[in-house]
Amino acid sequence: MGKFVPTPSCTVGPFFPAHYFGPNDNDLTVTSNAAGASSKRAQGTKIYIAGTIYEADRVPRWNSIVEFWQADASGHFAHPNDPESSKADPDFMGWGRRASEDDGYYDFITVKPGGYKDPLTGLVRAPHINVSIMGSGLMRRLVTTFFFPDEPANAGDPVFNAIPDAKVRERIILKPAKFPRAPADALCYRLDIVLQGEDETPFFLD
Amino acid sequence: MDKLPNRFAPYDDRTQPAFKVEGYKETITRVPMQGFYKRPATLTEVTGPLNLARKLDADLSDLSRAKGGGRDGKDGARAMGQLIFVTGRLLDEDGSPVRNSIIEVWHANSAGRYIHKMDAGSPFPEDPNFFGSGRCLTDHEGRYQYISIKPGAYPVPNHPQRWWRPPHIHLSIFGSGFMSRLVTQMFFPGDPLNAQDRILNSVPDPKGRERMISRPIPMMELPRADVVGFAHDIVVRGSRATPMGI
């Protein structure tokens, strides 16, 4: 343990400012929010991920703050903890944010992340996206990880397999889908997030 | 492994809030019931966005004037209320500065009302000159500062057991990685409403609660004469010193 203790977490509350959201905050393929910005697009396969967030009894939960964090298309991070950070795509930041809409809908545009051999554990990580959910009623954030369907590396992924029950693991595998709001050139996936209930999304100890 | 600078331990529950808070009904229907899975920390957990200022405007450190709110794109007129100056350092668990991190700051106006559609039913007036949110960036020493007006207290809406939120400031901090992400609230020293706030008091350890309460800054140490000063250091998870084994 370090000598300083982390400041307690607290709920984001119901009043997270709407004007914190830029037009491209949920589009990870661009690195700017400026109107008409001609920033280069991130490398990789463009994907669209959307779904609905529910609280107990399948009630859609609007005004949830959802954040993505992921590797670039080749499995690198622009961060000093990644020994191969110099290989990270300069046009990809890996982060996005979105508030769920009145009907609980959320969506992100991003690129499919690459897997990597993890230098901390020596294990191979399958392609995945870390997701944080914050909101009123959540004194601490909830964290989960999305995985991709038909990925052989899922079988050896240490986070995927931290969930012993295959039926529960299935709930964080993205499902191929179609959405009217998706960009025409994106592969589309659905994943509904159930905060509480029988088919609750598995969340990790943070 | 030893070359990796940041390590992260699980939070100590005594120093963090309970998930379910009595009288805070939203915690009943939104908190998972099936427990949390323990997972190893891999690169995705120990990295995070370090260049967010490319996308988010981090130069919004005077909340007392709505940026671009005035005519001709100039800063707007000043919001009503007591001007405050808040400063402190963002540190990791070793006490090392967390540099170049965005801190998002939002709060109610001096009458206790938010600029948010969720607060449309508030009995308190809006202030046309108060935007309610800003951002600042920590410097080389991890130091941040912002100017604002002191928020008012407000009763928690639509709760059968009525209770007041004391004046508080919301903070959203990115830190050095995914596991240092922190959303918290800062309270004001000596406020009589602090003792009955269900959110502040959901942290079991009294020392933990004290870590959310700012300290007064002596007037002679303030950069200007028209502000009341509050000091507030924030510690995010992460350590360079000791292997954490997770």
Side-chain angles (χ1 to χ4, degrees), chain B residues 218-246:
Chain B
M219 190 171 185
M220 296 307 287
E221 294 174 19
L222 289 169
R224 39 194 267 193
D226 58 348
V227 294
V228 181
F230 297 95
H232 187 57
D233 289 344
I234 303 159
V235 180
V236 290
R237 185 162 52 166
S239 171
R240 288 157 201 265
T242 318
M244 294 299 185
I246 59 166

Side-chain angles (χ1 to χ4, degrees), chain A residues 6-202:
Chain A
T7 306
S9 167
C10 228
T11 177
V12 78
F15 307 122
F16 192 76
H19 36 257
Y20 271 161
F21 295 95
N24 296 332
D25 280 3
N26 67 331
D27 183 349
L28 284 72
T29 68
V30 293
T31 56
S32 171
N33 266 318
S38 58
S39 66
K40 279 170 69 184
R41 293 249 159 197
Q43 296 163 28
T45 306
K46 191 175 192 176
I47 60 174
Y48 179 83
I49 296 172
T52 303
I53 301 178
Y54 297 99
E55 58 179 280
D57 302 322
R58 280 266 164 179
V59 175
R61 173 89 297 270
W62 66 289
N63 200 27
S64 278
I65 312 301
V66 186
E67 289 181 354
F68 271 25
W69 172 247
Q70 65 167 86
D72 70 10
S74 65
H76 296 108
F77 298 92
H79 189 285
N81 279 358
D82 185 344
E84 297 189 341
S85 63
S86 62
K87 296 181 182 168
D89 180 354
D91 300 308
F92 186 70
M93 286 166 55
W95 178 88
R97 181 162 64 186
R98 168 80 152 101
S100 60
E101 295 176 8
D102 290 357
D103 57 359
Y105 190 81
Y106 77 94
D107 63 351
F108 286 85
I109 300 167
T110 184
V111 295
K112 185 176 176 185
Y116 58 85
K117 186 174 183 196
D118 178 51
L120 288 161
T121 60
L123 298 168
V124 173
R125 294 298 322 266
H128 65 278
I129 297 171
N130 272 13
V131 181
S132 302
I133 298 140
M134 294 161 279
S136 119
L138 294 174
M139 293 299 293
R140 309 190 205 176
R141 71 169 174 174
L142 300 178
V143 293
T144 190
T145 301
F146 291 176
F147 291 88
F148 288 80
D150 305 320
E151 280 291 334
N154 286 347
D157 186 278
V159 174
F160 190 65
N161 288 291
I163 303 163
D165 185 338
K167 271 190 302 194
V168 177
R169 285 201 297 266
E170 189 68 25
R171 296 176 198 154
I172 49 172
I173 300 179
L174 295 157
K175 308 292 181 297
K178 286 186 177 168
F179 294 97
R181 292 163 64 174
D185 58 346
L187 277 175
C188 297
Y189 297 98
R190 166 180 281 278
L191 204 140
D192 292 339
I193 298 170
V194 181
L195 302 182
Q196 188 188 109
E198 289 279 303
D199 53 349
E200 192 172 290
T201 302

